[in-house]
Amino acid sequence: MRAMEYVRPATPAEAVATVAARPGARFLAGGTNLVDHLKLGVASPETLVDVRRLPLDAVETYDGGVRVGANVLNSDLASHPLVRSRLPLVSRALLAGASGQIRNQATTGGNLLQRTRCVYFQDVTTPCNKREPGSGCSALEGYGRYNAILGASPACVATHPSDLAVALAALDASVVLLGADGERRIPFEELHRLPGDDAATDTTLGPDELILAVEVPTTEAARRSAYRKVRDRASFAFALVSVAGAVRVTDGVVEDVRIAWGGVAHKPWRARRAEAALVGQALTADAVRAAVDDELGAAETTPQTAYKVPMLRNTTVLTLTQLAEEEVA
Amino acid sequence: MTVEQQTTPLRVHSVGSRLDRVDGIEKVTGRATYAVEHGESAGIVDPLHVWLVQSTVARGRVVGVDSRAALAHPDVVGVVDHTSSPRLADTDNGELAILQDAEVHFRGQIVALVLAETPEAAREGAALVEVSYDEEPHEAELREDNATHRPDSVNPDMDTDTDEGDVDAALADAAIVVEQSYRTAYEHNNPLEPHATTAWWTEEDGRDVLSMFDSSQGVHGVVQALAPMLALDPDQVRVRAPYVGGGFGSKGEAHAHVMAAALAARTTGGRPVRLAVTRQQMFALTGYRTATISHLRLGADADGRLTAIEHRVQEQTSRVREFAEQTGSPARMMYAAPHRRTSHRLAVLDVAVPSWMRAPGEMPGMYAHEVAMDELAVSCGVDPIELRIRNEPDTDPETGKPFNDRRLPDCLRRGAERFGWSSRPSEPRATRDGEWWVGTGVASATYPAMRMPGNAARVSALDGGRYAVGIGCVDIGTGARTVLTQIAADALGVPPDHVDLDIADTRLPPASVAGGSSGTSSWGSAIVAAAQRFRADHGDRPDAGVETTASAAADPAAEEYAFHSFGAVFAEARVHRWTGEIRVPRLLGAYSVGRVVNPVTARSQLVGGLVMGLSAGLFEESWRDPRFGHVVTQDLATYHVASHADVLDVDAEWLDEADELFTPMGSRGIGEIGIVGTAAAVANATHHATGVRVRSIPITADRFLE
Ligand SMILES: Cc1cc2nc3c(=O)[nH]c(=O)nc-3n(C[C@H](O)[C@H](O)[C@H](O)COP(=O)(O)OP(=O)(O)OC[C@H]3O[C@@H](n4cnc5c(N)ncnc54)[C@H](O)[C@@H]3O)c2cc1C
């Protein structure tokens, strides 16, 4: 019989020390992803270190931004007045995800570290490099509707499923981490990684590093931001593609613009090339289209994913031009 | 003893009224017990739990089952494989003849069973069983070039092919020809309650008796399937299904897990076993609708009057057991055309066994036919409703008999009026509301009215003017318990609360499956027969204890007519001009289904069918990976069904009518017609909105991108 230990540390430091000391230990938060993986046989940790009751559940301002504790529930974060007024993008991204029940259970930290929904990753009877390094990628020539089109590799074409992560990537957030060597802070964009030849590793975190909080700058652009998720049904579905956009236009010219995409890569995709192409230009549909096409020059598609290019282009144009119109109005 | 009784039309009092579900309180308070929830009060003491071990190859042979690690688990009690399983007397039914040999016929097939003290231990034990295979090449993909096998008949026992007149000549002469192919995806029934069985063996009077609680649409059918295979007489098997959480056809026949429970229970020395199929396992083991390819050719004169209809169907079956969906069948009776041809060809694949799913045949067949009709309407510039009315046949094109009641035009007109059809622009891509293209579409629906043989009911007098009525049919959540109570009450001339209805047990008089929209017609007629015979024999003031068992005699007058229900489905679709997203803000069905026995439960059936048809039109797809041979969208996160946010203004209404030639209640059956035509109405609306014709379902956003 496979025994599994469940521990509930009293402090973040104790949680980190416990995971560091025990190979095969994993942090458990809301469990909406990890517990599924236990049932499916995708994960088989020897110890579950429950971090859910650690006092990491505050949403508070700091100089220039909002700090969100790792244990803040997705539904609480989405409805928090600070977030709704200063970071509407975060609120909309969260509400576009999962269902009311899941959001009531899911945490900020867990949401960011949820794993891909690739059907082969979740089916232990099929090869998957992410689950079993070296076994091969079944998605490459299999069910591909949700596959990546940017930054993928022959080892893995999975996409990152989080909506929240796309918003945070657009907003230049940072992640506060606690490891055995103490606290560190990394830019949000460095949290997730592209698969390369190591599909098993989703992030740049050490196995014993605990997310303490996420810090989100409340810039002017963040206030004028929008999240547009395109999916197969009207709710309770992962993104085919999604766009997090923020823009500031002065005298008819783009001064600041943020574009991040979901559903296209192993990590939330910050479209830096497109952003650079737009700054200093008038925000017209043509300009956005050209900028997006520039960024998507690197896209690699299959017959199953070819649709993502026009869908992303259109959705980005729609999102940014609507933001610009709102600003004028 | 069962006597045959000629029925007379019911005098209705409770029938037609909105009686609340008689088992509603049990259900909403969680007291209704489902198949693996029965405990000591039902004789289930100290049960073991069974977990299924499934093959991970699509074709080949099991060369070894290493159960040492599983058996070392402290709570695992046993492992059953093909070398140790009890033998079956009859293995003709390849789906049910599990664990009898080493052959693997499809990925996901049951190759071993693990019995344990807890469900968790059984599941863990199953993961510890190591099965090795000699793998052989398999074929698991339906293509036009491999769907060439001609079955002897199609479900249930229809002609495979039909050919009347000269279709090719008529098409050559036709002013307008529509020639297109349409595809439907694999779909899984996915009832809310996964399949589950409790089974135990006892000895009674020196004979073995197998008892079961099974989540089934027909308990007698389970006995008929299992008893001969287990070398038992029918009375040695007792099956009950007091509550069932939906089936949509997938519980219409016993699937392999039911046999697994029976075999596992055989090995326990009398301890009951519980076997609960997981959602993922349902995608391999409990039936599904085949994908279909329909090749349609319609020939018409310039006014849209059909001269020829050809519907050639390609679909798939499983090598281990044949099931041929009757997708071409509605084209045989739907519209008037002197020249008509239908055919069915199958790809025979190394895949899980397909089976019934709500409106087998009519659902994919009418989807294709009704989209083709819309294309014809566009081609000849005739309004789609007018086109259908122009093609109304005088008699049933299939049998030549008169229809007893064919009120399709009434459904079309009534629905059109309520939906506001007259203001519809005739050109597609004519309306935009903000970023959304807006369009409307219509499709016809039809479903045959069926009464099954082999039904009987028992009426006995109780004290105080009360009556017990028994029949072994199952209420799968449709409200059968409620409507049969109403029928029995009216047949006996008492209020519904004077009737104690007993159902869902093979010890009761026999009943046919809850399928084919035939349940209320078949069981209700038997109840009316028994009640009328009871009154004839025992009068209005019977002594407590007297009883009558009767079945309904066929009415020879009914032989002269064709009986079908009809409907018209209207959909409004909005397609986002930039993202391609599709929304259906309005869906309306207008039906001619005979008398509605209970408007509340009937509405649920019709609206539920509409929602399921919408769901098939836009979302549902079991994506089988041909390399592995199994469906990889095998849970409800990846197999999308319509969410609440997708289901907006959906309504159903029906004509006020009674078909007393068909049943003494005047009813004709309503379980399936709601799903028929609905996907076509949605598809036609997306075309009207955008001008883009998508010829496969589900229709997804990527199909409308520019
Ligand atoms: C049916 C379904 C639909 C969904 N749809 C969407 C959707 O549309 N959009 C979307 O964004 N999400 C969706 N989700 C995913 C959902 O948002 C995640 O499951 C959830 O956010 C995970 O949070 P949790 O607290 O439950 O994490 P857990 O399951 O507890 O943990 C997830 C991972 O994070 C790690 N972890 C948790 N907290 C920390 C921490 N503080 N530090 C370090 N590691 C940590 C765990 O070890 C684990 O690896 C869906 C989920 C389901 C089941």
Side-chain angles (χ1 to χ4, degrees):
Chain A
M1 186 169 60
R2 198 171 68 223
M4 191 166 61
E5 212 179 331
Y6 170 86
V7 296
R8 196 188 289 161
T11 63
E14 191 187 327
V16 170
T18 310
V19 173
R22 304 189 187 199
R26 291 276 297 277
F27 297 119
L28 172 73
T32 60
N33 194 225
L34 185 52
V35 173
D36 275 4
H37 288 168
L38 299 183
K39 292 189 199 164
L40 293 169
V42 169
S44 43
E46 281 150 33
T47 309
L48 287 178
V49 179
D50 189 347
V51 298
R52 192 52 190 82
R53 291 174 207 211
L54 296 178
L56 303 170
D57 52 3
V59 178
E60 57 206 356
T61 50
Y62 65 91
D63 186 22
V66 172
R67 181 183 160 106
V68 179
N71 278 338
V72 175
L73 296 178
N74 289 178
S75 42
D76 291 345
L77 185 58
S79 61
H80 198 284
L82 267 180
V83 175
R84 289 179 54 178
S85 59
R86 301 200 196 166
L87 303 167
L89 177 58
V90 169
S91 212
R92 291 199 191 120
L94 282 164
L95 293 175
S99 66
Q101 291 94 328
I102 289 173
R103 294 194 297 267
N104 283 341
Q105 176 73 12
T107 64
T108 304
N111 187 307
L112 301 179
L113 297 188
Q114 62 174 301
R115 309 205 66 193
T116 184
R117 307 301 294 200
C118 176
V119 295
Y120 301 100
F121 176 68
Q122 300 184 90
D123 180 347
V124 297
T125 72
T126 59
C128 167
N129 286 324
K130 188 179 279 299
R131 186 169 23 77
E132 214 181 307
S135 62
C137 173
S138 298
L140 215 48
E141 286 168 10
Y143 178 64
R145 186 165 171 72
Y146 288 86
N147 285 357
I149 57 169
L150 287 167
S153 77
C156 184
V157 288
T159 46
H160 195 269
S162 166
D163 291 299
L164 173 62
V166 181
L168 295 181
L171 294 174
D172 288 327
S174 29
V175 187
V176 185
L177 302 167
L178 180 68
D181 303 332
E183 253 185 66
R184 66 182 182 121
R185 192 177 254 89
I186 59 169
F188 189 82
E189 267 188 275
E190 286 172 23
L191 175 63
H192 298 98
R193 59 182 289 284
L194 293 175
D197 54 12
D198 175 17
T201 309
D202 293 356
T203 70
T204 57
L205 299 193
D208 56 352
E209 275 190 297
L210 180 72
I211 297 181
L212 296 177
V214 179
E215 292 179 348
V216 197
T218 45
T219 58
E220 185 57 28
R223 225 186 263 265
R224 283 187 224 294
S225 59
Y227 189 72
R228 183 70 162 85
K229 177 177 180 182
V230 184
R231 46 187 155 177
D232 274 333
R233 57 182 174 186
S235 89
F236 211 9
F238 289 92
L240 296 168
V241 305
S242 68
V243 175
V247 67
R248 209 174 76 232
V249 179
T250 310
D251 299 330
V253 168
V254 175
E255 199 172 273
D256 185 8
V257 61
R258 317 287 177 79
I259 305 170
W261 290 333
V264 294
H266 197 253
K267 59 182 287 187
W269 189 270
R270 181 73 183 267
R272 296 252 179 214
R273 269 181 87 108
E275 291 176 3
L278 280 172
V279 172
Q281 298 228 27
L283 194 97
T284 61
D286 283 343
V288 179
R289 212 171 283 131
V292 168
D293 284 345
D294 195 21
E295 181 85 34
L296 284 175
E300 287 183 43
T301 63
T302 66
Q304 288 185 73
T305 55
Y307 76 90
K308 289 194 177 188
V309 169
M311 189 179 271
L312 202 52
R313 182 192 298 127
N314 291 353
T315 309
T316 307
V317 171
L318 183 70
T319 308
L320 293 185
T321 51
Q322 277 180 351
L323 279 172
E325 278 163 28
E326 277 165 31
E327 190 164 5
V328 173
Chain B
M1 199 196 61
T2 304
V3 294
E4 271 211 351
Q5 170 73 20
Q6 194 70 56
T7 58
T8 58
L10 207 57
R11 257 186 280 148
V12 298
H13 298 285
S14 181
V15 165
S17 73
R18 307 168 61 89
L19 182 66
D20 283 342
R21 281 178 189 255
V22 295
D23 51 7
I25 300 287
E26 275 106 307
K27 286 188 173 174
V28 299
T29 55
R31 274 179 293 166
T33 31
Y34 291 81
V36 284
E37 297 177 342
H38 297 277
E40 295 194 9
S41 60
I44 311 301
V45 182
D46 199 17
L48 285 168
H49 300 266
V50 182
W51 208 271
L52 305 174
V53 179
Q54 295 174 275
S55 74
T56 53
V57 302
R59 186 171 183 176
R61 293 176 62 79
V62 174
V63 293
V65 178
D66 184 347
S67 44
R68 282 171 299 181
L71 290 169
H73 190 294
D75 285 331
V76 170
V77 172
V79 175
V80 178
D81 65 19
H82 67 281
T83 63
S84 58
S85 165
R87 296 293 103 187
L88 295 172
D90 170 352
T91 56
D92 283 353
N93 180 333
E95 183 184 8
L96 293 185
I98 54 165
L99 302 176
Q100 300 301 295
D101 58 36
E103 297 299 318
V104 175
H105 303 280
F106 61 92
R107 189 172 174 121
Q109 177 186 311
I110 299 170
V111 290
L113 312 172
V114 174
L115 290 90
E117 297 289 347
T118 66
E120 292 81 6
R123 185 173 202 160
E124 193 177 347
L128 293 170
V129 173
E130 295 227 4
V131 184
S132 44
Y133 303 91
D134 236 350
E135 196 174 348
E136 289 164 23
H138 68 267
E139 191 176 15
E141 187 177 24
L142 165 65
R143 298 185 310 272
E144 291 191 24
D145 67 12
N146 70 357
T148 54
H149 165 69
R150 182 184 187 283
D152 290 339
S153 65
V154 298
N155 179 60
D157 53 6
M158 293 184 181
D159 291 337
T160 303
D161 298 348
T162 60
D163 196 351
E164 290 156 69
D166 188 339
V167 167
D168 296 318
L171 284 167
D173 288 348
I176 295 168
V177 174
V178 171
E179 178 169 1
Q180 292 294 350
S181 296
Y182 305 89
R183 287 172 177 257
T184 64
Y186 294 101
E187 295 164 359
H188 277 76
N189 314 52
N190 275 313
L192 191 57
E193 181 205 15
H195 298 61
T197 308
T198 300
W200 69 104
W201 292 77
T202 50
E203 220 187 271
E204 284 173 27
D205 305 327
R207 300 164 83 212
D208 289 324
V209 171
L210 168 63
S211 300
M212 293 185 150
F213 287 107
D214 186 33
S215 187
S216 169
Q217 293 175 228
V219 288
H220 296 277
V222 175
V223 173
Q224 283 154 21
L226 263 60
M229 296 182 73
L230 293 163
L232 301 173
D233 290 331
D235 68 344
Q236 288 171 274
V237 184
R238 181 182 187 187
V239 181
R240 282 173 278 177
Y243 295 95
V244 175
F248 306 118
S250 70
K251 297 171 181 171
E253 293 188 296
H255 294 294
H257 67 278
V258 183
M259 183 60 87
L263 293 174
R266 196 70 175 129
T267 68
T268 64
R271 274 179 86 176
V273 304
R274 286 181 181 158
L275 192 164
V277 178
T278 66
R279 182 67 60 184
Q280 284 89 348
Q281 290 169 343
M282 288 167 71
F283 282 80
L285 290 172
T286 59
Y288 61 98
R289 192 195 306 281
T290 174
T292 68
I293 308 168
S294 283
H295 306 284
L296 259 296
R297 288 201 293 169
L298 303 179
D301 66 18
D303 297 331
R305 283 195 177 74
L306 287 162
T307 51
I309 300 173
E310 182 184 68
H311 192 165
R312 289 189 298 118
V313 178
Q314 294 188 291
E315 49 197 19
Q316 60 107 67
T317 185
S318 164
R319 207 181 299 281
V320 69
R321 188 175 187 215
E322 183 168 294
F323 177 84
E325 179 133 350
Q326 68 273 35
T327 304
S329 66
R332 297 172 182 173
M333 51 64 63
M334 195 60 207
Y335 297 112
H339 308 280
R340 48 211 309 122
R341 182 153 68 204
T342 63
S343 65
H344 297 84
R345 296 293 179 271
L346 308 178
V348 183
L349 303 178
D350 304 301
V351 297
V353 184
S355 179
W356 299 329
M357 179 162 168
R358 205 172 200 172
E362 278 77 14
M363 191 270 153
M366 285 294 278
Y367 152 71
H369 199 350
E370 289 298 300
V371 177
M373 287 297 280
D374 202 61
E375 301 212 44
L376 178 61
V378 172
S379 296
C380 56
V382 176
D383 177 80
I385 291 179
E386 172 58 25
L387 179 80
R388 286 168 172 85
I389 291 171
R390 273 185 204 171
N391 285 292
E392 270 292 284
D394 296 330
T395 56
D396 176 16
E398 185 170 18
T399 60
K401 294 176 183 178
F403 285 103
N404 182 41
D405 232 348
R406 179 170 166 129
R407 300 183 64 190
L408 175 61
D410 292 342
C411 296
L412 287 162
R413 290 193 184 105
R414 177 151 169 184
E417 191 180 337
R418 164 124 180 242
F419 198 74
W421 187 261
S422 61
S423 62
R424 178 190 198 248
S426 57
E427 290 300 307
R429 206 180 177 86
T431 309
R432 218 179 71 209
D433 181 3
E435 305 292 351
W436 297 84
W437 291 111
V438 183
T440 52
V442 67
S444 303
T446 186
Y447 201 79
M450 288 189 271
R451 260 175 73 173
M452 299 293 181
N455 285 276
R458 183 173 66 214
V459 173
S460 19
L462 305 172
D463 287 328
R466 304 180 58 79
Y467 297 86
V469 175
I471 178 165
C473 63
V474 180
D475 183 338
I476 60 173
T478 56
R481 213 181 234 110
T482 306
V483 299
L484 295 180
T485 299
Q486 292 176 278
I487 291 168
D490 284 359
L492 288 163
V494 299
D497 61 4
H498 283 42
V499 174
D500 291 345
L501 184 75
D502 208 2
I503 62 169
D505 185 343
T506 51
R507 298 261 160 107
L508 293 165
S512 51
V513 67
S517 302
S518 66
T520 305
S521 301
S522 309
W523 317 323
S525 296
I527 289 173
V528 172
Q532 291 181 345
R533 183 63 175 233
F534 179 93
R535 286 290 185 231
D537 288 351
H538 305 294
D540 286 343
R541 292 167 178 275
D543 295 333
V546 299
E547 69 174 44
T548 297
T549 302
S551 62
D555 179 352
E559 292 296 304
E560 307 303 317
Y561 294 90
F563 295 95
H564 291 261
S565 287
F566 291 94
V569 190
F570 295 80
E572 176 183 326
R574 293 179 164 237
V575 179
H576 196 283
R577 64 193 287 219
W578 300 118
T579 65
E581 291 156 297
I582 307 150
R583 301 287 181 262
V584 176
R586 287 195 298 149
L587 194 55
L588 170 69
Y591 296 101
S592 160
V593 290
R595 177 181 279 132
V596 162
V597 179
N598 182 325
V600 180
T601 53
R603 191 174 178 284
S604 290
Q605 285 300 303
L606 295 170
V607 166
L610 286 163
V611 170
M612 207 167 174
L614 165 72
S615 191
L618 298 184
F619 311 116
E620 295 190 33
E621 176 166 22
S622 309
W623 203 91
R624 183 190 293 145
D625 190 325
R627 300 168 304 167
F628 301 115
H630 71 302
V631 169
V632 296
T633 53
Q634 51 190 330
D635 56 40
L636 292 176
T638 50
Y639 181 92
H640 284 165
V641 299
S643 71
H644 281 89
D646 297 297
V647 179
L648 301 165
D649 178 0
V650 180
D651 207 357
E653 59 174 46
W654 45 84
L655 306 178
D656 189 11
E657 60 185 14
D659 191 341
E660 290 178 341
L661 190 55
F662 186 62
T663 62
M665 298 78 69
S667 62
R668 257 197 319 253
I670 50 169
E672 278 148 296
I673 193 166
I675 198 177
V676 180
T678 307
V682 171
N684 295 341
T686 63
H687 172 263
H688 187 240
T690 62
V692 177
R693 182 69 73 178
V694 178
R695 296 188 181 88
S696 64
I697 54 170
I699 301 174
T700 47
D702 46 284
R703 311 300 291 271
F704 299 100
L705 291 173
E706 287 158 30

